[in-house]
Every structure is written in structure tokens, then in C-alpha cells.
Amino acid sequence: MNQLFPPTITVSRIVLGAAIALAATAQPARAAGKPATPALPAVADFERLSGSRAGACQAPLDAPLAALGAPALRQCAWSQRVDMVYWEDIPDAPNTCLSTAAIAWHRLGAGAHAVLRPWSGGWSGQSLQVQYNGVEQAGMVWRQADGRWSAVLWRWRPSDRLPTRQWQLGHWKEVLAAVRAIDAANPAPARTPLMTVWMDATNGKPRAFDGDSWRWVSEGACLGLRSAGLGQAQLHLPYSRDDARLEQRSAMQVLLARRFPAAEWLRPFTLVEPAISGDRTGAKFLAVWKEGSLMQGQLWIPLKGEGGIVRARVASDLPPLEAARTQELARSRASLIERELGRLAHAWEARHE
């Protein structure tokens, strides 16, 4: 019997067809079992923004940046003169009163040696741009569509050769544009005089603000400041230190004790010393007390004439501990609050007196 095709060719075609069919059915199964890798955000697209093929980075990651967690991506090019670090999902920071975004913002700034404004509770992202030790740096922290917080930091050490540096600058401008795109929808709030001095006094510390409540971390403790705005004291408080009298302070302490009958006064109403001993600054007063597990301190800053009084109250919760340890911690926290109020008073002197 004649055959148009040898048996071996027929079998080979059958096997090949089966293999193709199997591959066609297996490919959707693999796709269903393992989701595709999500595309990089525009600000972390290294090859597009740098105009160069990505390579490995030789220098180790700086310790402040390592505190953000393991980066999802780190790439370098331009003979190690441009470096990008991208964190796709920043882990939560335990044992802090600040948000994940605020802590990430602080750590990114520390890694970039940048003086950053406090993180705002109303932001969905914010960028930074700073030059340090001849290195241009640009980065941002932002919330992804799925709610995760991400961060990126670009660093560029310009080439010594003018033509190369100009070519690099063209690409660096693209990096800056990508980073700054987040700022349009996240403007900084207006600053009051007290907010300005609080920013001076807490510079370099993790901090955030939300409305008239401002929080920061100092010596491992969470502190919150609430501005009471301008007002009048129940007793006259003089603007000049020369007019401050012990009888006034004693009378004010009596009024405070009546207002807070359950308080334990760890620093009664007292006059704050100026930053430089002997300086003829305006008078400022503070008091620190404990009510239950809540530590509180308040600063009074009388203004000239009939300007009223600026008041700022700092609060900090004590963790549940044994009675003896609670008292020890309360004394330590009271000293911390007094120091922080003193820094606010001295920052006010530097800004307004």
C-alpha cells in the first residue's frame, strides 16, 4: 500500500501539534498562577530617565537609607555617577506616634543630608531636592494607588568634562521633572509664627503636622504640641523680664492648681532663662505637670503692649508600668518636656526678639 508520508513524519507532526496545544493551554495557567510583574512608576524608570543601560552599584547603601528597608531596586550608570534607589513598599515603623510616611520622609531626608519640612497629614506625597558635598539629589515619598507608601532617591555627581556634564544635565532635568510632579497636589500649609519656631526647635527630628496639632519624636519619646493661639492670661504676665515678679508667678501657680486639681506639678509656673545668660529678652514662662498617665507642659509668651499671649501646650503619654518605674519615667519625661519648651522659647527669641 502506497503512503503519501512516511510513518515517522506523521508521528512527528502529531507530537508537535500536541506540544503546541499543551503550551497554549499551559501559558494561561501560568499567567493565572503568577501575576505579571507590575510596571515601574515613571519616577523609578531608571533607563528611560537616565538614558543609559542600568548597571550594579559599587558603593554600599548609606545607613540612614538602609533604615527604610531593603530597596526593591537600586541601579547605577554614568560610571557610577548616577544612582537610583527605589523602595516599593516601605514597612511600618513600630513604637512611634508618627505615620509610616512621616518616618520614611525623615529617613529619606537624613540619607540625603537635607533639612526637610515636617510631613503633613494631608499629603499623598512630597519631593525633596538638595545638593550635598557636590552631589545633586532628588527624591520623593508617595502613596501608591493600592495604599502602600513608596520612596525613591536619585543622586548625581556631575562629570568633570563639560560636554559630558551637559549631556548628563539634560537627563537630570528629566529626573527633577518626574520627582516634582507630586508637589502640585500637595502644597505646604501656611506657617504661623509659632509653627515657624517649632520647626526651628525640632529641626532634624522625625515630625509631622495635621491641622493645629504637631507631633515629633525626641529622645525616643512621642510629643504632641497644640497651639492655643493668642489669648489673655487670667493674671497679667509682663513682656519684660525686668517686670516679672515672684508674686505673679506664685499667683499664677495657684490659678493653675485650681484649674487642674488632680495634677502633680513636676515644674511649677516659672520664668524661662534666655538662651544666652544675661540677654535682655522678653519674659517667657512654663509649667510641667502630670495627670494620670498624661504628661503636659505649657509655654506662655507675652507679646508687647496689648498683643496678648502666645500659648503652646506639649503632651506625651506614659506607657503602663509599675508605680515606681512610672514615677521615674514621669520625672524623666518632665525634664524632656521642659527642655523642648525651652527650645521653643529660645527659637522665639531668635526669630522675634
Side-chain angles (χ1 to χ4, degrees):
M1 179 179 179
N2 296 330
Q3 293 181 341
L4 295 176
F5 301 103
T8 53
I9 295 179
T10 304
V11 172
S12 299
R13 289 184 174 177
I14 293 173
V15 172
L16 179 60
I20 293 173
L22 181 60
T25 56
Q27 188 172 359
R30 284 197 301 269
K34 184 179 180 181
T37 302
L40 285 171
V43 75
D45 191 338
F46 182 85
E47 295 193 354
R48 183 182 67 82
L49 292 176
S50 70
S52 300
R53 181 173 295 179
C57 299
Q58 297 175 0
L61 195 63
D62 297 340
L65 296 177
L68 280 164
L73 193 62
R74 187 182 180 205
Q75 295 177 325
C76 289
W78 305 353
S79 299
Q80 301 292 308
R81 287 182 174 273
V82 67
D83 175 357
M84 184 207 73
V85 192
Y86 168 53
W87 293 267
E88 182 180 27
D89 187 8
I90 299 172
D92 293 336
N95 304 320
T96 179
C97 58
L98 301 183
S99 66
T100 299
I103 294 296
W105 180 242
H106 168 74
R107 290 172 176 170
L108 192 70
H113 303 275
V115 177
L116 299 181
R117 69 188 72 178
W119 183 263
S120 171
W123 287 345
S124 60
Q126 192 59 244
S127 74
L128 66 89
Q129 181 187 351
V130 65
Q131 184 188 77
Y132 176 77
N133 201 22
V135 177
E136 301 287 341
Q137 302 178 93
M140 71 185 217
V141 174
W142 78 101
R143 185 171 52 231
Q144 300 268 23
D146 60 5
R148 295 178 299 171
W149 286 97
S150 300
V152 69
L153 180 65
W154 288 78
R155 290 180 286 194
W156 168 44
R157 183 165 51 90
S159 172
D160 298 329
R161 297 181 66 252
L162 180 59
T164 304
R165 185 166 65 249
Q166 289 177 335
W167 178 86
Q168 292 173 347
L169 179 59
H171 287 284
W172 184 251
K173 288 179 178 178
E174 294 186 30
V175 172
L176 294 181
V179 166
R180 291 171 178 164
I182 194 68
D183 295 341
N186 295 283
R191 298 182 187 180
T192 65
L194 184 59
M195 177 185 287
T196 301
V197 299
W198 172 73
M199 290 172 65
D200 292 344
T202 60
N203 189 29
K205 298 175 182 177
R207 55 191 182 171
F209 52 75
D210 194 354
D212 62 352
S213 179
W214 315 329
R215 300 184 305 280
W216 73 107
V217 178
S218 181
E219 300 179 25
C222 288
L223 305 171
L225 183 147
R226 185 171 292 274
S227 169
L230 293 176
Q232 298 292 336
Q234 291 174 284
L235 288 178
H236 172 72
L237 295 178
Y239 170 77
S240 172
R241 292 179 59 86
D242 296 336
D243 295 334
R245 298 288 182 266
L246 179 60
E247 312 87 74
Q248 294 171 327
R249 299 197 290 277
S250 299
M252 189 67 176
Q253 180 59 46
V254 170
L255 289 175
L256 289 172
R258 289 174 178 171
R259 183 177 178 185
F260 303 102
E264 176 185 351
W265 295 92
L266 298 171
R267 172 62 71 181
F269 190 81
T270 188
L271 183 65
V272 180
E273 290 298 316
I276 300 175
S277 181
D279 271 9
R280 297 180 65 83
T281 62
K284 300 167 195 66
F285 306 87
L286 64 78
V288 182
W289 66 97
K290 174 180 177 290
E291 286 185 283
S293 62
L294 181 64
M295 299 293 305
Q296 295 189 83
Q298 184 159 315
L299 178 68
W300 291 260
I301 306 176
L303 302 179
K304 281 185 178 180
E306 300 298 323
I309 293 177
V310 175
R311 293 170 293 170
R313 182 173 298 182
V314 173
S316 181
D317 287 312
L318 298 176
L321 297 171
E322 301 171 358
R325 293 185 61 195
T326 297
Q327 284 301 106
E328 179 183 354
L329 180 59
R331 288 191 293 270
S332 174
R333 191 66 55 85
S335 297
L336 172 62
I337 291 175
E338 185 173 352
R339 290 194 297 274
E340 294 293 313
L341 290 174
R343 291 186 182 105
L344 279 172
H346 298 156
W348 185 276
E349 292 172 4
R351 284 276 182 179
H352 301 291
E353 297 176 6

